[in-house]
Amino acid sequence: MKEKILDISKDLFLNLGFKSVTMDEIASNLGVSKKTIYKYFKNKTDLVAGVTDYMFTAICCGIDDVCGQKLNPIEEIFSIKRMVMKHLKDEKSSPQYQLQKYYPKIYASLKQKQFHVMQKTIKENLLRGIKLELFRESINVEFISRIYFYGMIAIKDQEIFPLTNFSMNELMNNYLEYHISGIATEKGLQELQNQLTQKQ
Protein backbone atom coordinates (compact mmCIF):
# COMPACT_ATOMS: atom_id res chain seq x y z
CA MET A 1 0.00 0.00 0.00
CA LYS A 2 2.84 2.40 0.80
CA GLU A 3 4.24 2.13 -2.74
CA LYS A 4 0.75 2.62 -4.20
CA ILE A 5 0.35 5.82 -2.13
CA LEU A 6 3.74 7.06 -3.36
CA ASP A 7 2.93 6.22 -6.98
CA ILE A 8 -0.50 7.91 -7.05
CA SER A 9 0.79 10.91 -5.08
CA LYS A 10 3.74 11.28 -7.48
CA ASP A 11 1.40 11.46 -10.49
CA LEU A 12 -0.86 14.01 -8.80
CA PHE A 13 2.04 16.17 -7.64
CA LEU A 14 3.65 16.15 -11.09
CA ASN A 15 0.41 16.96 -12.90
CA LEU A 16 -1.04 19.50 -10.47
CA GLY A 17 1.88 20.65 -8.33
CA PHE A 18 3.02 19.91 -4.78
CA LYS A 19 1.18 22.90 -3.32
CA SER A 20 -2.29 22.44 -4.80
CA VAL A 21 -2.84 18.69 -4.22
CA THR A 22 -4.63 17.96 -0.94
CA MET A 23 -4.56 14.81 1.17
CA ASP A 24 -8.31 14.46 0.44
CA GLU A 25 -7.60 14.34 -3.31
CA ILE A 26 -4.87 11.73 -2.83
CA ALA A 27 -7.18 9.59 -0.66
CA SER A 28 -9.98 9.95 -3.23
CA ASN A 29 -7.70 8.87 -6.10
CA LEU A 30 -6.53 5.90 -4.06
CA GLY A 31 -10.08 4.95 -3.07
CA VAL A 32 -9.09 4.90 0.62
CA SER A 33 -9.62 7.15 3.63
CA LYS A 34 -7.06 9.75 4.73
CA LYS A 35 -6.57 7.60 7.82
CA THR A 36 -4.97 4.92 5.64
CA ILE A 37 -2.44 7.42 4.26
CA TYR A 38 -1.64 8.64 7.79
CA LYS A 39 -0.67 5.08 8.76
CA TYR A 40 2.35 5.49 6.47
CA PHE A 41 2.95 9.27 6.40
CA LYS A 42 2.37 11.50 9.41
CA ASN A 43 1.43 14.59 7.34
CA LYS A 44 1.62 16.05 3.83
CA THR A 45 5.22 17.25 4.29
CA ASP A 46 6.24 13.71 5.23
CA LEU A 47 4.45 12.43 2.11
CA VAL A 48 6.16 15.02 -0.12
CA ALA A 49 9.53 13.92 1.31
CA GLY A 50 8.62 10.28 0.62
CA VAL A 51 7.54 11.04 -2.95
CA THR A 52 10.72 13.02 -3.75
CA ASP A 53 12.87 10.14 -2.43
CA TYR A 54 10.78 7.69 -4.46
CA MET A 55 11.24 9.75 -7.65
CA PHE A 56 14.95 10.29 -6.97
CA THR A 57 15.53 6.53 -6.57
CA ALA A 58 13.60 5.77 -9.78
CA ILE A 59 15.62 8.36 -11.74
CA CYS A 60 18.92 7.07 -10.31
CA CYS A 61 17.98 3.54 -11.46
CA GLY A 62 17.11 4.98 -14.88
CA ILE A 63 20.50 6.76 -15.09
CA ASP A 64 22.28 3.51 -14.18
CA ASP A 65 20.34 1.69 -16.91
CA VAL A 66 21.28 4.29 -19.54
CA CYS A 67 24.95 4.32 -18.47
CA GLY A 68 24.97 0.51 -18.59
CA GLN A 69 24.17 0.68 -22.32
CA LYS A 70 27.67 2.09 -23.01
CA LEU A 71 26.44 4.63 -25.54
CA ASN A 72 28.85 7.28 -26.74
CA PRO A 73 28.98 10.11 -24.15
CA ILE A 74 26.96 12.62 -26.21
CA GLU A 75 24.23 10.11 -27.01
CA GLU A 76 24.27 9.12 -23.31
CA ILE A 77 23.54 12.70 -22.17
CA PHE A 78 20.54 12.97 -24.51
CA SER A 79 19.28 9.51 -23.49
CA ILE A 80 19.45 10.47 -19.80
CA LYS A 81 17.53 13.66 -20.61
CA ARG A 82 14.75 11.70 -22.36
CA MET A 83 14.52 9.24 -19.46
CA VAL A 84 14.31 12.04 -16.84
CA MET A 85 11.68 13.91 -18.87
CA LYS A 86 9.60 10.74 -19.05
CA HIS A 87 9.77 10.28 -15.27
CA LEU A 88 8.93 13.93 -14.60
CA LYS A 89 6.15 14.05 -17.22
CA ASP A 90 7.89 16.94 -19.04
CA GLU A 91 7.88 18.91 -15.77
CA LYS A 92 4.59 20.63 -16.61
CA SER A 93 4.11 21.61 -12.97
CA SER A 94 7.80 22.53 -12.46
CA PRO A 95 8.27 20.24 -9.44
CA GLN A 96 11.72 21.56 -8.54
CA TYR A 97 10.50 25.17 -8.47
CA GLN A 98 7.51 24.26 -6.28
CA LEU A 99 9.65 22.21 -3.90
CA GLN A 100 12.08 25.11 -3.55
CA LYS A 101 9.25 27.54 -2.82
CA TYR A 102 6.98 25.51 -0.54
CA TYR A 103 9.22 22.77 0.90
CA PRO A 104 12.71 24.36 1.11
CA LYS A 105 14.18 21.78 3.53
CA ILE A 106 13.13 18.86 1.33
CA TYR A 107 14.45 20.74 -1.72
CA ALA A 108 17.85 21.40 -0.06
CA SER A 109 18.23 17.73 0.89
CA LEU A 110 17.24 16.57 -2.60
CA LYS A 111 19.62 19.03 -4.26
CA GLN A 112 22.55 17.64 -2.24
CA LYS A 113 21.70 14.08 -3.28
CA GLN A 114 21.26 15.14 -6.92
CA PHE A 115 24.63 16.91 -6.84
CA HIS A 116 26.51 13.81 -5.67
CA VAL A 117 24.86 11.53 -8.25
CA MET A 118 25.27 13.99 -11.12
CA GLN A 119 28.90 14.75 -10.26
CA LYS A 120 29.82 11.09 -10.56
CA THR A 121 27.79 10.56 -13.76
CA ILE A 122 28.97 13.72 -15.51
CA LYS A 123 32.65 13.28 -14.59
CA GLU A 124 32.60 9.73 -15.97
CA ASN A 125 30.82 11.02 -19.09
CA LEU A 126 33.38 13.80 -19.61
CA LEU A 127 36.38 11.50 -19.11
CA ARG A 128 34.99 8.96 -21.60
CA GLY A 129 34.29 11.81 -24.02
CA ILE A 130 37.92 12.94 -23.81
CA LYS A 131 39.15 9.37 -24.32
CA LEU A 132 36.91 8.97 -27.41
CA GLU A 133 38.05 12.40 -28.72
CA LEU A 134 34.49 13.78 -28.58
CA PHE A 135 35.48 16.33 -25.90
CA ARG A 136 38.64 18.43 -25.86
CA GLU A 137 41.52 17.08 -23.79
CA SER A 138 42.13 20.52 -22.27
CA ILE A 139 38.75 20.84 -20.51
CA ASN A 140 38.65 21.16 -16.70
CA VAL A 141 36.48 18.18 -15.74
CA GLU A 142 35.94 19.30 -12.13
CA PHE A 143 34.78 22.78 -13.18
CA ILE A 144 32.55 21.58 -16.04
CA SER A 145 30.83 18.87 -13.98
CA ARG A 146 29.90 21.50 -11.37
CA ILE A 147 28.81 24.21 -13.81
CA TYR A 148 26.74 21.61 -15.67
CA PHE A 149 24.85 20.75 -12.49
CA TYR A 150 24.16 24.38 -11.57
CA GLY A 151 23.11 25.20 -15.12
CA MET A 152 20.64 22.33 -15.02
CA ILE A 153 19.22 23.71 -11.75
CA ALA A 154 19.06 27.25 -13.20
CA ILE A 155 17.00 26.39 -16.30
CA LYS A 156 14.29 25.07 -13.96
CA ASP A 157 13.94 28.48 -12.25
CA GLN A 158 10.56 29.71 -13.48
CA GLU A 159 11.32 33.33 -12.67
CA ILE A 160 14.14 33.29 -15.22
CA PHE A 161 12.76 30.69 -17.64
CA PRO A 162 8.95 30.81 -17.36
CA LEU A 163 7.26 27.75 -18.82
CA THR A 164 4.89 30.09 -20.67
CA ASN A 165 7.89 31.12 -22.83
CA PHE A 166 9.86 27.87 -22.95
CA SER A 167 8.88 24.22 -22.85
CA MET A 168 11.07 22.14 -20.53
CA ASN A 169 12.06 19.91 -23.46
CA GLU A 170 13.18 22.96 -25.46
CA LEU A 171 15.13 24.31 -22.47
CA MET A 172 16.86 20.97 -21.92
CA ASN A 173 17.80 20.59 -25.58
CA ASN A 174 19.11 24.16 -25.75
CA TYR A 175 21.11 23.65 -22.57
CA LEU A 176 22.63 20.36 -23.74
CA GLU A 177 23.58 21.97 -27.07
CA TYR A 178 25.17 24.89 -25.17
CA HIS A 179 27.04 22.52 -22.81
CA ILE A 180 28.37 20.18 -25.50
CA SER A 181 29.25 22.95 -27.98
CA GLY A 182 31.55 24.48 -25.35
CA ILE A 183 33.61 21.33 -24.81
CA ALA A 184 33.36 19.30 -28.04
CA THR A 185 35.98 18.54 -30.66
CA GLU A 186 35.03 18.63 -34.37
CA LYS A 187 34.14 14.95 -34.04
CA GLY A 188 31.99 15.77 -30.99
CA LEU A 189 30.20 18.59 -32.79
CA GLN A 190 29.24 16.19 -35.59
CA GLU A 191 27.78 13.76 -33.02
CA LEU A 192 25.94 16.65 -31.37
CA GLN A 193 24.32 17.52 -34.70
CA ASN A 194 23.30 13.87 -35.13
CA GLN A 195 21.56 13.96 -31.73
CA LEU A 196 19.85 17.30 -32.38
CA THR A 197 18.45 16.16 -35.72
CA GLN A 198 16.93 13.07 -34.13
CA LYS A 199 13.51 13.47 -32.53
CA GLN A 200 14.24 14.54 -28.96
Side-chain angles (χ1 to χ4, degrees):
M1 178 51 91
K2 187 176 182 179
E3 189 159 334
K4 192 177 176 188
I5 293 169
L6 289 168
D7 205 44
I8 295 287
S9 301
K10 176 201 74 172
D11 287 344
L12 287 168
F13 287 147
L14 287 176
N15 287 320
L16 304 169
F18 286 103
K19 174 73 172 163
S20 58
V21 176
T22 65
M23 295 297 263
D24 283 314
E25 285 172 299
I26 294 167
S28 173
N29 274 268
L30 280 160
V32 299
S33 68
K34 278 197 294 185
K35 202 172 170 183
T36 303
I37 299 173
Y38 289 130
K39 278 185 195 171
Y40 300 94
F41 302 97
K42 58 189 179 202
N43 52 38
K44 186 179 170 185
T45 302
D46 192 32
L47 178 58
V48 169
V51 167
T52 54
D53 275 346
Y54 181 68
M55 286 163 59
F56 176 74
T57 302
I59 288 170
C60 285
C61 289
I63 289 171
D64 288 344
D65 286 347
V66 172
C67 293
Q69 294 171 34
K70 300 295 178 198
L71 306 168
N72 81 60
I74 294 172
E75 189 179 0
E76 181 178 272
I77 291 174
F78 279 93
S79 292
I80 288 173
K81 181 220 83 168
R82 285 191 293 272
M83 180 276 300
V84 170
M85 293 293 286
K86 193 175 169 187
H87 270 284
L88 297 180
K89 301 186 184 296
D90 294 339
E91 302 206 20
K92 292 183 183 73
S93 66
S94 189
Q96 178 184 287
Y97 181 76
Q98 290 210 356
L99 267 187
Q100 192 172 3
K101 191 171 179 183
Y102 301 113
Y103 298 95
K105 285 185 180 173
I106 297 171
Y107 171 77
S109 168
L110 180 66
K111 186 177 163 188
Q112 276 301 309
K113 290 191 288 188
Q114 286 174 331
F115 177 72
H116 290 302
V117 168
M118 280 182 70
Q119 280 294 279
K120 179 178 178 291
T121 305
I122 292 301
K123 281 181 187 173
E124 286 173 1
N125 181 279
L126 292 169
L127 290 169
R128 278 201 309 119
I130 292 167
K131 196 173 174 183
L132 294 170
E133 299 181 346
L134 293 168
F135 303 147
R136 297 193 313 275
E137 203 175 346
S138 60
I139 63 173
N140 183 326
V141 169
E142 188 65 38
F143 171 77
I144 289 166
S145 64
R146 288 167 184 266
I147 206 77
Y148 178 85
F149 175 77
Y150 278 96
M152 203 53 93
I153 294 286
I155 63 169
K156 293 173 183 177
D157 184 334
Q158 279 201 308
E159 288 172 9
I160 301 186
F161 296 103
L163 291 178
T164 49
N165 295 8
F166 307 91
S167 75
M168 187 50 68
N169 196 53
E170 177 192 359
L171 279 172
M172 295 278 273
N173 279 342
N174 286 343
Y175 182 64
L176 293 182
E177 182 178 6
Y178 175 80
H179 163 69
I180 294 164
S181 295
I183 61 174
T185 59
E186 280 300 319
K187 183 180 170 185
L189 289 172
Q190 284 175 5
E191 178 55 32
L192 172 61
Q193 283 311 310
N194 289 343
Q195 290 301 315
L196 290 171
T197 51
Q198 289 177 27
K199 190 181 177 187
Q200 299 299 341

